[in-house]
Amino acid sequence: MKKIALKLFILSAVALNFVSCEDDSSLVITEGEPQFRIVTPDDGTSITLNKDTPNDPALTVSWEDAQYDGAPTQITYSVEIDKDGDEFNTPISLGSTTGNSLTFKVSELNAAAINAELPAGDLGTLNVRVKSTIGTTGAEPMYSNVINYTVTTYFTYLYKDYYLVGSATAPGWNNNNNNPPLWRNPNPGSENLYEFTGYFNGGGGDPAKFKFLETLGLWQPQWGTNAGTAQSGSLAGNPGTQSGDPGEFQITGPSGYYTFAINMNEGVRTYSITPYTGSTATTYSVVGMIGDAVGGWGDGNQINMTQVASDPHLWYKSNVVMSNGPLKFRANNAWTVNWGSDTEYTGTGTQDGPNIPVTGTTYNVWFNDLTGKYILIPVID
């Protein structure tokens, strides 16, 4: 009886193990050995992306078929990248197909590489892999081997900036006179919201008029309103909404501090002008930029900004050469008052806030110590 019981136990164990193995065959292991392989490019391939040929092919990835048991539904493949060393903690999908290869243009690969935090205008390495799934729900993922792909990127800036002009503003009607830019909202989905808080000449009439431009030194495109002296309403632009030049915005109240805000979303395009009540804030004698982006965190690395003569809360510095690295603004050559944030190019700095991330290139920089708002506009040839 003992021998029979032992045999029954062994047979049961084998059967359970067999069932377990059958169950495991329907599961997909996402780590360890690759389940299919990338055919091209070779591991270690290197490319320099050329900004002058954005539509040229830059990367073609091809791969073997992923092998699923049974007769699965259609297989979908996605090419994923991640910064070397991140081990696909935050993979970025370049694209998907039901075939066995995908080709990506120079502009697409450059944008994806910078999104993966490779340095703009410098050499960096991407991890590349292919992910396969089946069905409409993306079930049973499998992964290819991982290859390294070395990329030299170029700097790209995808945002639009606008500049004030007119008798109500510091530059007057000169369209290339260090015209202050509008601050752009950095939040995803809000990139078409802009505002400027600062000193405007008021009182109605010609001294209180202004418009905004898209390019310094050019009168078109220009934006204004056809709503007369209304302090809010619809924007009008040439070109944009009409073939002729729009009317001017006007400051109907006394000279002082106002916030001018615009919504440039298609189908909306509105503006508002409202008095700003916080203009009695501290006036600083010095505001500067400091951090690795401008050479380091020592006092000697600080780059002092220029105060706008008609607005002591508005500061600027042109043609600042910066490196990849963090930046902060501070007042009076000390850390007692400093501003930081976590958004690149534009944002709202707060007291003792985080370091501002910077991609190395040359910038025109504006900072408003009333609101803490900053904007770094690349000087692109």
Side-chain angles (χ1 to χ4, degrees):
M1 289 294 292
K2 289 182 178 179
K3 289 183 178 180
I4 293 172
L6 178 59
K7 287 180 179 179
L8 288 172
F9 173 78
I10 293 171
L11 287 171
S12 298
V14 170
L16 286 171
N17 186 57
F18 179 73
V19 171
S20 177
C21 288
E22 281 199 325
D23 290 343
D24 286 347
S25 68
S26 68
L27 299 175
V28 176
I29 302 171
T30 59
E31 296 181 358
E33 290 298 316
Q35 292 143 321
F36 61 100
R37 301 196 68 81
I38 292 175
V39 177
T40 61
D42 293 332
D43 187 52
T45 299
S46 181
I47 185 173
T48 298
L49 301 175
N50 186 349
K51 67 179 180 180
D52 296 325
T53 56
N55 295 317
D56 281 4
L59 169 65
T60 296
V61 183
S62 62
W63 52 88
E64 302 168 344
D65 287 330
Q67 299 298 322
Y68 287 90
D69 291 338
T73 57
Q74 184 170 269
I75 301 175
T76 300
Y77 298 95
S78 299
V79 176
E80 296 183 336
I81 63 170
D82 201 359
K83 183 172 64 174
D84 187 34
D86 276 4
E87 299 179 351
F88 290 95
N89 294 320
T90 54
I92 296 170
S93 177
L94 287 182
S96 300
T97 181
T98 56
N100 287 79
S101 69
L102 277 172
T103 297
F104 306 99
K105 298 186 295 185
V106 167
S107 58
E108 293 172 331
L109 184 58
N110 189 76
I114 292 175
N115 193 29
E117 299 183 350
L118 261 63
D122 206 348
L123 183 70
T125 301
L126 292 173
N127 291 330
V128 182
R129 73 180 181 187
V130 180
K131 174 184 177 182
S132 68
T133 56
I134 59 173
T136 57
T137 59
E140 298 194 34
M142 289 186 181
Y143 295 90
S144 73
N145 60 313
V146 176
I147 65 167
N148 292 131
Y149 195 71
T150 304
V151 180
T152 300
T153 61
Y154 59 86
F155 183 85
T156 182
Y157 182 72
L158 305 177
Y159 306 105
K160 184 171 286 188
D161 295 301
Y162 299 102
Y163 303 87
L164 293 173
V165 67
S167 53
T169 69
W173 286 108
N174 188 331
N175 65 6
N176 194 11
N177 186 28
N178 200 39
N179 303 59
L182 303 184
W183 174 85
R184 175 177 50 78
N185 193 311
N187 296 323
S190 299
E191 294 90 346
N192 287 324
L193 303 181
Y194 299 78
E195 68 179 61
F196 175 84
T197 296
Y199 188 87
F200 287 84
N201 296 317
D206 183 63
K209 296 180 179 180
F210 68 100
K211 296 181 179 183
F212 64 92
L213 308 172
E214 293 191 18
T215 306
L216 289 175
L218 298 178
W219 283 107
Q220 262 73 36
Q222 67 170 264
W223 293 86
T225 182
N226 294 322
T229 61
Q231 299 298 278
S232 64
S234 297
L235 293 169
N238 177 20
T241 65
Q242 59 196 47
S243 57
D245 290 348
E248 301 94 344
F249 307 104
Q250 291 193 39
I251 303 295
T252 56
S255 297
Y257 284 83
Y258 293 83
T259 295
F260 172 65
I262 61 171
N263 184 333
M264 291 298 287
N265 282 299
E266 292 281 350
V268 182
R269 287 181 173 165
T270 56
Y271 75 93
S272 65
I273 303 170
T274 56
Y276 181 77
T277 58
S279 58
T280 58
T282 302
T283 299
Y284 302 105
S285 57
V286 176
V287 166
M289 298 171 283
I290 192 168
D292 291 338
V294 292
W297 294 98
D299 291 344
N301 298 114
Q302 178 170 307
I303 296 178
N304 291 336
M305 305 181 74
T306 301
Q307 197 173 41
V308 173
S310 60
D311 186 345
H313 297 293
L314 190 59
W315 305 80
Y316 70 92
K317 190 70 175 180
S318 302
N319 297 309
V320 183
V321 179
M322 297 193 189
S323 305
N324 294 323
L327 174 78
K328 294 191 89 168
F329 297 92
R330 66 178 190 172
N332 298 337
N333 301 311
W335 289 105
T336 307
V337 178
N338 69 87
W339 298 267
S341 183
D342 59 0
T343 53
E344 189 172 11
Y345 302 121
T346 182
T348 302
T350 57
Q351 175 67 34
D352 296 322
N355 294 336
I356 299 166
V358 175
T359 296
T361 192
T362 301
Y363 292 95
N364 292 331
V365 184
W366 289 79
F367 178 73
N368 188 328
D369 68 48
L370 280 180
T371 61
K373 297 187 185 302
Y374 60 88
I375 184 165
L376 284 68
I377 300 176
V379 180
I380 300 176
D381 294 334

